[in-house]
Amino acid sequence: MSRRLGLGAFAAGLLAAVLSWLVRATTPLSDLDVPNADLLLSTGLSAAAVALVAYGVYRFLAAFLVARIADRRRAHDVRNVLRLGVGGVALVGVLGAFTDQWLGVLVSFGVIGFAVTFALQQPILSFIGWFYILVSRPYAVGDRVNIGSVSGDVAEVGFLVTTLWETGGPLASNQPSGRTVTVPNSLVLSSEVVNYGALFDRVWTEVPVQVSYETDLPFVRQLLLDVADEEVGDDMDAAMERYRDRLRESPLDLDVADGPTVNVAQEESWVVFRLRVLVPPTRAQRVKNRLYERVLDRLGDHPDRVSFPVSRNR
């Protein structure tokens, strides 16, 4: 469909160009009570021809190139570059058709661009930020990120703003709130950007469990590891292999665990076990919910070895 639409626009543009040439080549339109009617009609047809041909080229390239890119993030970037490139050429062509001074249009662009730089500093910085995002890729469509004080999943990276599907916000859990947030691209040049999936496709998360000091602590620790192995063991083993491969490509010298781990901390009236596992960034809360349910069920099956804190400080 996109290719047919592009070919149709391209053909219409060529027809408009032919009509413009015929108007210029034939007798002036003296029957119309409009000064220079033939020149105005020819100029309008020329501008329409440029716009239609440019649109046809864009649609054809989008169908030929973007549709063949399996990675949706890369396809999004290629589509934006096509829009910018073809749109810029079309704008110069249309203005050149109206003024009939192609070189003058280009020179005017330079003068006008220098003049508006001071008036449009933020949009220009945002456009530079978009180019930086395109080249350095601190994030891409589909990533879960924190940009400044905003957290969300990247839905679109435009020329001036990045659109996020907000996570958290008024919700206590780090899950989609249903709201969208637009962030100027200039923020990537002046603020911190946290990408949950930049290293690879998993992040570490912790599931805290509080028990009393009278609990059989080694038993609880092993129970947590068994539950984690049953719930996410196979997925985490495969993820750890990718994690180690990624670390080998980096200059970092880090030791990584072979599977889930448990950290223990003392509090005033209870002991906190923190079960640490690898999870997909966008499904962390769901995995934690499943782990909580299974851990509490298993702990409840052993009231003789496990007790929970009842202090008001809890």
Side-chain angles (χ1 to χ4, degrees), residues 23 26-39:
V23 170
T26 55
T27 305
L29 301 177
S30 56
D31 295 338
L32 297 178
D33 190 18
V34 178
N36 299 319
D38 55 337
L39 181 59

Side-chain angles (χ1 to χ4, degrees), residues 36-107:
N36 299 319
D38 55 337
L39 181 59
L40 291 175
L41 180 59
S42 175
T43 299
L45 288 171
S46 296
V50 171
L52 287 170
V53 168
Y55 180 74
V57 169
Y58 165 73
R59 299 295 297 193
F60 182 79
L61 290 178
F64 185 77
L65 295 177
V66 178
R68 285 170 169 74
I69 300 176
D71 188 344
R72 291 186 299 173
R73 303 178 181 185
R74 183 59 61 185
H76 181 273
D77 293 339
V78 172
R79 188 181 297 110
N80 277 341
V81 171
L82 283 177
R83 288 174 180 171
L84 180 64
V86 176
V89 172
L91 180 60
V92 172
V94 170
L95 292 178
F98 277 111
T99 62
D100 205 21
Q101 296 290 332
W102 300 88
L103 182 60
V105 169
L106 294 176
V107 174

Side-chain angles (χ1 to χ4, degrees), residues 212-228:
S212 69
Y213 279 100
E214 292 75 24
T215 295
D216 186 344
L217 301 183
F219 171 75
V220 172
R221 182 180 184 279
Q222 187 59 48
L223 184 148
L224 292 177
L225 291 175
D226 291 342
V227 170

Side-chain angles (χ1 to χ4, degrees), residues 124-146:
I124 291 173
L125 284 176
S126 291
F127 183 78
I128 295 173
W130 169 77
F131 187 76
Y132 169 77
I133 295 169
L134 186 67
V135 175
S136 298
R137 298 184 72 80
Y139 57 79
V141 172
D143 288 344
R144 176 158 292 185
V145 298
N146 287 344

Side-chain angles (χ1 to χ4, degrees), residues 4-311:
R4 290 197 297 269
L5 184 60
L7 290 176
F10 189 82
L14 293 180
L15 179 60
V18 171
L19 291 176
S20 174
W21 177 82
L22 289 176
V23 170
R24 287 177 180 269
T26 55
T27 305
L29 301 177
S30 56
D31 295 338
L32 297 178
D33 190 18
V34 178
N36 299 319
D38 55 337
L39 181 59
L40 291 175
L41 180 59
S42 175
T43 299
L45 288 171
S46 296
V50 171
L52 287 170
V53 168
Y55 180 74
V57 169
Y58 165 73
R59 299 295 297 193
F60 182 79
L61 290 178
F64 185 77
L65 295 177
V66 178
R68 285 170 169 74
I69 300 176
D71 188 344
R72 291 186 299 173
R73 303 178 181 185
R74 183 59 61 185
H76 181 273
D77 293 339
V78 172
R79 188 181 297 110
N80 277 341
V81 171
L82 283 177
R83 288 174 180 171
L84 180 64
V86 176
V89 172
L91 180 60
V92 172
V94 170
L95 292 178
F98 277 111
T99 62
D100 205 21
Q101 296 290 332
W102 300 88
L103 182 60
V105 169
L106 294 176
V107 174
S108 298
F109 270 2
V111 175
I112 295 174
F114 179 79
V116 302
T117 297
F118 298 98
L120 300 176
Q121 293 184 31
Q122 286 303 317
I124 291 173
L125 284 176
S126 291
F127 183 78
I128 295 173
W130 169 77
F131 187 76
Y132 169 77
I133 295 169
L134 186 67
V135 175
S136 298
R137 298 184 72 80
Y139 57 79
V141 172
D143 288 344
R144 176 158 292 185
V145 298
N146 287 344
I147 305 177
S149 60
V150 181
S151 175
D153 299 320
V154 180
E156 183 179 1
V157 181
F159 298 128
L160 300 181
V161 298
T162 294
T163 301
L164 302 179
W165 289 356
E166 184 190 45
T167 56
L171 303 179
S173 60
N174 191 30
Q175 292 181 300
S177 67
R179 307 189 302 186
T180 61
V181 183
T182 55
V183 179
N185 292 337
S186 58
L187 274 184
V188 301
L189 305 175
S190 59
S191 180
E192 68 277 3
V193 176
V194 179
N195 190 331
Y196 289 81
L199 183 60
F200 79 131
D201 58 351
R202 294 291 188 275
V203 293
W204 291 100
T205 191
E206 290 185 340
V207 178
V209 177
Q210 300 170 353
V211 296
S212 69
Y213 279 100
E214 292 75 24
T215 295
D216 186 344
L217 301 183
F219 171 75
V220 172
R221 182 180 184 279
Q222 187 59 48
L223 184 148
L224 292 177
L225 291 175
D226 291 342
V227 170
D229 187 63
E230 295 168 5
E231 184 67 31
V232 298
D234 293 338
D235 180 76
M236 190 168 171
D237 288 341
M240 290 303 298
E241 289 298 323
R242 297 194 299 275
Y243 191 24
R244 293 189 182 93
D245 291 341
R246 184 68 179 88
L247 286 175
R248 281 192 287 268
E249 297 172 358
S250 74
L252 300 176
D253 185 14
L254 299 177
D255 292 329
V256 293
D258 294 330
T261 59
V262 175
N263 298 320
V264 184
Q266 290 180 317
E267 300 293 342
E268 291 182 359
S269 302
W270 58 85
V271 178
V272 179
F273 287 86
R274 298 188 182 276
L275 176 61
R276 195 165 185 261
V277 294
L278 275 174
V279 296
T282 57
R283 298 201 298 272
Q285 189 61 47
R286 279 178 283 177
V287 174
K288 291 173 68 174
N289 289 342
R290 293 200 304 269
L291 288 172
Y292 269 124
E293 292 172 0
R294 297 192 63 173
V295 166
L296 292 178
D297 285 343
R298 294 280 290 275
L299 291 177
D301 293 338
H302 303 277
D304 56 327
R305 308 183 70 175
V306 179
S307 62
F308 298 99
V310 294
S311 171

